[in-house]
Amino acid sequence: MELRHTCRTYASIYAVAPNTKLLLPIKRLRALTQYSMWGFLTFLLGLLSLYVLYDLVHIHYYIAVPLSVMVNLVTHYATSRAFVFTDSNRSVESGFVIFFAIGLCEIIFITVTVALLVEFTQGDVYWARVAAGVIAAIAGFLANAKFNFKAL
């Protein structure tokens, strides 16, 4: 009888205490899932802007790639701030400055990676952009969650 009471007590502690360390990985996984979903949608917008700039307007990919990544980053910040990291104590303006600083690193990494993949492998600009974007997205999530939104 006493054993059941003890198990029930421990179960109720974890059920009502939302800030326990056991729930932290779930919160991180939820944030990563939401960040990824919004990141994918804004990434598609970035690819659309790359298509417009590169194929329709005929801007060289050295210029079109960073411009399309900027479109991606601005829309991703807005959606991340509104839907993922809603409990951030940082102001929207200061958060954007940090987000853009991290994004600038992403822009440089993506542009250099795309250039290397296209020039040395004769690869497609879009596939190179996707490959570089996946790596940059993971690094960007970790950096923003840690330093900007203080979610990790």
Side-chain angles (χ1 to χ4, degrees), residues 3-55:
L3 180 61
R4 262 192 299 184
H5 175 70
T6 305
C7 292
R8 193 170 358 138
T9 303
Y10 286 127
S12 65
I13 288 171
Y14 290 115
V16 295
N19 292 328
T20 62
K21 288 191 176 194
L22 292 176
L23 295 179
L24 191 57
I26 294 170
K27 183 178 180 181
R28 287 181 180 163
L29 183 61
R30 185 179 316 134
L32 176 61
T33 303
Q34 290 174 334
Y35 187 88
S36 298
M37 180 196 69
W38 287 108
F40 179 73
L41 292 174
T42 59
F43 176 72
L44 291 177
L45 180 63
L47 283 180
L48 177 62
S49 66
L50 178 60
Y51 172 76
V52 169
L53 293 169
Y54 183 65
D55 281 332

Side-chain angles (χ1 to χ4, degrees), residues 9-150:
T9 303
Y10 286 127
S12 65
I13 288 171
Y14 290 115
V16 295
N19 292 328
T20 62
K21 288 191 176 194
L22 292 176
L23 295 179
L24 191 57
I26 294 170
K27 183 178 180 181
R28 287 181 180 163
L29 183 61
R30 185 179 316 134
L32 176 61
T33 303
Q34 290 174 334
Y35 187 88
S36 298
M37 180 196 69
W38 287 108
F40 179 73
L41 292 174
T42 59
F43 176 72
L44 291 177
L45 180 63
L47 283 180
L48 177 62
S49 66
L50 178 60
Y51 172 76
V52 169
L53 293 169
Y54 183 65
D55 281 332
L56 299 181
V57 182
H58 302 292
I59 296 176
H60 196 277
Y61 72 87
Y62 286 169
I63 306 297
V65 167
L67 289 176
S68 69
V69 174
M70 278 191 243
V71 169
N72 188 157
L73 288 173
V74 170
T75 55
H76 197 200
Y77 177 74
T79 56
S80 294
R81 182 64 189 225
F83 302 111
V84 181
F85 301 111
T86 56
D87 56 352
S88 176
N89 294 327
R90 192 177 303 281
S91 72
V92 174
E93 295 82 12
S94 67
F96 183 76
V97 169
I98 295 169
F99 192 90
F100 195 77
I102 293 168
L104 190 57
C105 296
E106 291 181 58
I107 290 169
I108 293 167
F109 172 78
I110 290 170
T111 304
V112 169
T113 303
V114 168
L116 290 173
L117 288 172
V118 169
E119 296 297 325
F120 292 112
T121 68
Q122 305 306 312
D124 181 63
V125 171
Y126 297 103
W127 284 110
R129 171 63 182 94
V130 169
V134 168
I135 296 167
I138 293 168
F141 168 76
L142 294 172
N144 275 298
K146 177 78 173 171
F147 301 113
N148 194 2
F149 302 112
K150 308 251 185 209

